[in-house]
Structures are given as C-alpha cells and as structure tokens.
Amino acid sequence: MPLFEDKFTVNTSQEEIWRFLMDVERLGRCVPGCEQVQAMDDTTFKARMKVKVGPFSTTQNVTMVLTQLDPPNRLAAQGQGEDSRMATKVNVKATLELSPVNNAETQIKYAINVTILGRLGMVGEPVMRAKAREMCGEFARRLKAAIEQGGQVWH
C-alpha cells in the first residue's frame, strides 16, 4: 500500500497541538474506527479498531509505539494489529510534522503508510487504497475540528 501524505492548517499554536497529540485518549477519538485507546507508558499505547472494508469488517487490537519525538515539531509512530478471526495483520507507520504558519496558525503535515496482510489484504489494492485514503482524510478533519473546538469530537 502506498504512502498517504497531506497537510492542513489549524488555528492554534504548535504547543497546543503538541499537547493534544500527547493525550492519546483525545487523539484516539480522532481516528476513524477507534473504539478504545489506552496508554501503556509514555510511548506505547493500545487501541481497538473496528473498520469495514467492502463486504468485510475487521476488529484489530493495535499496539502503537512513538518511535521519534521532537517536541513540538515532529513525531513518528509505528504499530501493528491483528484480527485472528479474519486472519489479517496490519502494519502502520506514521509521521506528523508541525510548523508555524504565523503566531495563531500551525501547519500539520502527515504521512501514513499502511500494510495489510492476510485475508483482508486480498480484497484488492484499489479498494484498500480508497479506504485508507478515506480514513486519512477523516482523521485530518477530526483532528483539526477537535483541536480548534477544544478537544470535542463526536463520531
């Protein structure tokens, strides 16, 4: 699966965005399909993801690790999940880069690479690519709304 990249501007400071990103419960509410998220320590968290792709539905127990932190400029994470019922594994690598536009605005640039193996991976690359693109765009919309509205996201 190819890398998905995009950028958007948020009407708040880099420091405010960084604080939001470090709160995994608030951040988890921005991820489409995330039903539950729990911090295991300062750099590791577990999430329960439920996603429908075409005719299939998968529930993944995902472990994510923050692999690079450069506050308040950049973070990188990688993780993996598994749905034994669907005989499917997912690997995720993501980076978020923050840069000031001016005193009141910050640009967020993200790159997400998702690899899906097993039964769900055989659905077909065009279907998987469309779903991944949809989820990345929804994540960006929810993140922007949550930060600008004080962290309230309803999905």
Side-chain angles (χ1 to χ4, degrees), residues 93-149:
K93 290 184 180 181
T95 59
L96 289 171
E97 295 180 0
L98 310 178
S99 56
V101 175
N102 56 45
N103 289 339
E105 294 181 313
T106 303
Q107 178 180 274
I108 299 176
K109 180 180 177 184
Y110 67 87
I112 301 172
N113 192 348
V114 179
T115 305
I116 301 169
L117 306 168
R119 188 182 303 171
L120 196 56
M122 291 189 271
V123 168
E125 188 171 342
V127 173
M128 297 305 295
R129 183 188 308 263
K131 184 63 176 182
R133 187 177 313 282
E134 172 191 320
M135 289 180 71
C136 289
E138 183 63 22
F139 168 73
R141 285 187 293 281
R142 288 180 181 185
L143 182 63
K144 178 178 172 60
I147 292 169
E148 292 180 349
Q149 297 167 11

Side-chain angles (χ1 to χ4, degrees), residues 29-72:
R29 290 191 294 259
C30 299
V31 178
C34 184
E35 296 183 334
Q36 178 182 358
V37 65
Q38 178 183 8
M40 304 310 287
D41 58 39
D42 289 344
T43 59
T44 306
F45 56 96
K46 292 187 181 258
R48 180 177 167 91
M49 302 284 300
K50 189 171 186 178
V51 179
K52 186 166 176 25
V53 181
F56 301 103
S57 181
T58 181
T59 300
Q60 299 276 330
N61 293 309
V62 180
T63 300
M64 294 293 295
V65 177
L66 298 174
T67 56
Q68 295 177 359
L69 293 171
D70 178 17

Side-chain angles (χ1 to χ4, degrees), residues 16 19-21 23-30 37 146 150-151 153:
E16 283 293 318
R19 279 193 288 279
F20 186 94
L21 294 174
D23 184 336
V24 295
E25 289 182 14
R26 291 195 316 169
L27 182 60
R29 290 191 294 259
C30 299
V37 65
V153 175

